[in-house]
Amino acid sequence: MAKKAARKSAKPSARERARAASLLEALREHYPDAHCELNYSSPHELLVATILSAQTTDVAVNKVTPALFKRYPTPGEFAASTPEEIEKFIRSIGLFRNKARAVHSAMATIESEFGGEVPSTMEELLTLRGVARKTANVVLGNAFGINEGVVVDTHVQRLARRFGLIDEGASVAAIERRLMDLFPRESWCGLSHMLIFHGRRACKARMGSCADHPICREFGVGCELRVSAQKVRGGGARPRSS
């Protein structure tokens, strides 16, 4: 009977950390300008945009936020409105009714509990409606420069698996913990941006162009597109260190 694959240890080995460091260096080389692609000019605008981005593309969110932010320039003005009024500005994005309620509630809490200022701690951000760790990490990392955790979206999940950084089937929480263990704290915000850039531009979920990308060639041990391309060429999979 074949042995089950060993699960990732609680703490990465020196070899795993060295491989992660090499991956981080490669990402920085290829995506030196990686950044948050949501448009915003203040912490509350980033918070609203991130709430709206759930199950919706950044492109779609960026289309609705200019008019929304012009109508509601402060948390107080969001709070003084109603979910129904906010809905009118975001009807083109998915789940707009739920998101309008979440935005209104979050802004009302910021106005009443935090003096109209977006809080800058994970604990406080998680008290806001529509905010889980992913959203809080986006706000903390980009609006305040605080590396509290790693943003784990669908791109980061996919690439963490394809690069062999996590166990198959790992939960979002487990993925975040693993990435936090593998990479230095000061890199966490930038790491998520670089992985998202690579996921959007090269190592896509479908019909990607990563088979010949240097990062996927070097680190893509679980990249189906890369493996498929090698089979077509008859080259087989090149062994990788883990």
Side-chain angles (χ1 to χ4, degrees):
M1 182 183 296
K3 292 183 179 179
K4 291 183 178 180
R7 296 187 66 78
K8 303 296 183 186
S9 58
K11 294 296 179 182
S13 66
R15 191 175 185 183
E16 289 170 327
R17 289 184 188 278
R19 183 172 181 271
S22 295
L23 172 58
L24 182 60
E25 182 180 359
L27 288 167
R28 285 171 170 165
E29 177 184 350
H30 285 274
Y31 303 106
D33 300 320
H35 58 276
C36 178
E37 294 188 281
L38 290 169
N39 295 333
Y40 67 96
S41 61
S42 66
H44 88 269
E45 287 187 357
L46 177 57
L47 175 57
V48 170
T50 308
I51 291 173
L52 297 180
S53 71
Q55 301 181 50
T56 305
T57 66
D58 289 357
V59 171
V61 173
N62 289 338
K63 288 179 179 179
V64 303
T65 50
L68 180 69
F69 294 157
K70 183 177 181 180
R71 172 62 180 82
Y72 305 110
T74 66
E77 294 194 56
F78 271 107
S81 184
T82 65
E84 291 73 24
E85 287 297 316
I86 295 170
E87 283 180 15
K88 297 176 183 178
F89 293 88
I90 62 172
R91 287 184 181 277
S92 63
I93 65 174
L95 306 174
F96 70 91
R97 290 190 177 88
N98 287 339
K99 291 176 181 179
R101 288 192 289 269
V103 166
H104 180 261
S105 175
M107 294 299 107
T109 300
I110 288 171
E111 186 67 17
S112 64
E113 302 295 327
F114 299 104
E117 300 291 332
V118 175
S120 58
T121 70
M122 177 66 72
E123 181 179 18
E124 290 173 324
L125 283 169
L126 292 179
T127 66
L128 304 177
R129 182 169 176 176
V131 177
R133 276 193 66 90
K134 174 187 167 185
T135 298
N137 279 328
V138 170
V139 174
L140 290 172
N142 294 282
F144 298 110
I146 298 172
N147 286 294
E148 185 68 26
V150 178
V151 174
V152 179
D153 73 346
T154 56
H155 299 291
V156 174
Q157 291 180 58
R158 183 175 70 257
L159 267 62
R161 174 176 53 80
R162 288 182 175 177
F163 291 159
L165 303 175
I166 60 169
D167 290 312
E168 190 71 30
S171 66
V172 170
I175 294 171
E176 184 182 5
R177 288 194 299 270
R178 183 67 177 176
L179 296 179
M180 290 166 68
D181 283 339
L182 280 169
F183 296 91
R185 187 184 191 108
E186 64 271 15
S187 73
W188 291 348
C189 183
L191 171 67
S192 65
H193 290 319
M194 291 183 289
L195 288 173
I196 291 168
F197 263 51
H198 187 61
R200 287 175 174 169
R201 290 157 176 77
C203 198
K204 302 178 183 179
R206 296 184 180 88
M207 299 179 68
S209 57
C210 63
D212 291 315
H213 195 285
I215 291 179
C216 290
R217 287 203 308 269
E218 182 62 28
F219 300 98
V221 294
C223 181
E224 298 90 340
L225 298 169
R226 171 182 166 273
V227 171
S228 296
Q230 288 182 329
K231 286 180 179 178
V232 169
R233 294 168 187 160
R238 175 177 151 198
R240 304 288 174 201
S241 59
S242 58

